Amino acid sequence: MRAPKTISAALFALAFGAVATLPAQAVFAQNKLDSTAKKVGNKTASIAVKGAMAITDKIYKGKEGPNGETVYINKKDKKYIVDEKGKKVYLKPSQIHNKKE
């Protein structure tokens, strides 16, 4: 009669272990989903801001930012780039250089 108790205890432990790991897997999947959604949101914001800036502000022809980004000039003659999150990053004159051909 010991065998059924051992088997039932083993099955209980197995079921408890499986149930305990499901929330951890769900949290991992949620974190992955959150980071992907954040990347998509940042890219969308960046594209939207760049499109709006191309219309409202001037593009600095023949010049580029520190990493080859498009440089924009606003109404107050300040030069800036748009980062990967869609935010304006104002540049110092030393950060702007001629475009590489």
Side-chain angles (χ1 to χ4, degrees):
M1 286 276 200
R2 286 188 92 95
K5 289 182 182 179
T6 307
I7 291 174
S8 63
L11 287 175
F12 176 75
L14 183 64
F16 183 75
V19 170
T21 59
L22 287 177
Q25 291 174 351
V27 168
F28 177 75
Q30 185 64 37
N31 288 342
K32 182 80 170 162
L33 183 65
D34 289 345
S35 67
T36 302
K38 189 176 283 190
K39 287 178 188 176
V40 170
N42 287 341
K43 187 67 173 177
T44 303
S46 177
I47 291 170
V49 170
K50 286 178 183 177
M53 293 307 107
I55 294 170
T56 59
D57 293 339
K58 295 179 184 178
I59 294 176
Y60 200 178
K61 302 278 185 195
K63 302 289 183 177
E64 63 185 8
N67 297 317
E69 303 97 339
T70 302
V71 178
Y72 301 95
I73 305 172
N74 67 7
K75 295 174 186 170
K76 297 181 181 180
D77 201 38
K78 291 187 177 183
K79 284 89 176 166
Y80 64 92
I81 59 171
V82 178
D83 69 0
E84 65 275 354
K85 293 184 178 180
K87 297 188 180 197
K88 293 180 183 179
V89 178
Y90 290 94
L91 301 172
K92 299 176 187 174
S94 61
Q95 294 176 307
I96 302 170
H97 54 273
N98 292 330
K99 276 192 176 180
K100 298 173 186 168
E101 295 296 324

